Amino acid sequence: MKTGFGGKIMFPVILAGTLALSACDQPQEVPPLGTAQQMMANEVQPTAEIFWGAVGAKSELVDGEAVFTEWQPETDAEWDEVHAAAVRLGELGEILKTPAYAEGRGDDWMAYSQGLVDVSAQASEAAMARDPDAIFEVGGTIYSVCSACHRMYPPDVLPEGMTVDDIAQPRPNEETPASE
Ligand code: HEC
């Protein structure tokens, strides 16, 4: 009776699989990084923040005196991290172009996603050149690419007091030197 026992175990498993498949009539591509919202919150924003936070400047009052602080990647490891973030943004742009994220959107969606791919190449170049000014500048371009898409495809619900341009916030670390 060993085989019968095994068959009983297998049957519900196979049935469950069949039901799951037939539940969606058309085969749909499973979004690899969750919904667009999840992908933005968990992948795109944190990756952009690494890039935006890499180079910055601030001035503050210390004992009544203005102190100006600038920061940029110093070690190989720090530069590598910035470079990796630049490359990752391009990969995310490619993923945005896949049907899982692009389906049902206009052609402009493809253009905005490609914009991320293109700016990622510039970002990667700036990181390879270890050029802090270029990193800062490309950071601004990245932000316009994010915002352009958000203006056309805003979230259904914006948090109170926020505009679309607040969604992707550039250089959030501007207040905090990287050395801290
Ligand atoms: C091709 C279009 C597109 C590009 C490019 C894009 N986004 Fe988005 N983003 C969206 C869409 C669509 C939403 C709204 C998702 C939703 O709420 O359904 C969104 C929402 C967000 C959100 C809000 C997530 C949340 O928790 O609700 C953040 C943060 C964000 N994007 C960051 C970025 C950053 C940073 C960039 C640039 C590096 C960027 N996005 C580039 C399409 C894009």
Side-chain angles (χ1 to χ4, degrees):
M1 292 307 277
K2 264 183 190 160
T3 40
F5 187 57
K8 264 186 193 159
I9 299 234
M10 286 307 289
F11 178 67
V13 174
I14 292 165
L15 183 66
T18 317
L19 283 177
L21 275 181
S22 56
C24 39
D25 295 329
Q26 305 132 330
Q28 282 191 332
E29 216 185 299
V30 178
L33 299 172
T35 63
Q37 190 262 327
Q38 288 167 332
M39 174 184 181
M40 288 293 151
N42 302 330
E43 299 280 342
V44 181
Q45 178 72 24
T47 305
E49 278 179 16
I50 293 173
F51 196 86
W52 284 328
V55 169
K58 67 162 185 176
S59 58
E60 60 188 342
L61 281 179
V62 178
D63 295 333
E65 277 188 50
V67 175
F68 185 67
T69 322
E70 282 182 294
W71 64 92
Q72 66 168 81
E74 303 288 352
T75 63
D76 286 353
E78 283 169 359
W79 278 112
D80 286 350
E81 195 194 7
V82 178
H83 183 252
V87 171
R88 181 66 180 151
L89 279 180
E91 293 169 359
L92 292 167
E94 293 290 356
I95 293 171
L96 282 171
K97 288 199 275 181
T98 60
Y101 296 100
E103 202 149 286
R105 321 257 192 195
D107 290 346
D108 56 349
W109 179 271
M110 290 310 218
Y112 293 131
S113 305
Q114 183 59 40
L116 202 53
V117 175
D118 293 342
V119 78
S120 148
Q122 293 175 35
S124 161
E125 249 171 62
M128 279 193 296
R130 303 200 168 187
D131 181 344
D133 292 340
I135 298 275
F136 192 83
E137 211 153 287
V138 178
T141 312
I142 291 176
Y143 178 68
S144 11
V145 172
C146 310
S147 293
C149 192
H150 294 153
R151 282 184 204 158
M152 284 310 291
Y153 297 95
D156 295 337
V157 187
L158 275 172
E160 231 186 272
M162 260 188 150
T163 72
V164 265
D165 287 341
D166 296 327
I167 304 174
Q169 288 158 354
R171 305 196 180 96
N173 301 347
E174 201 141 31
E175 304 301 317
T176 332
S179 55
E180 272 180 17

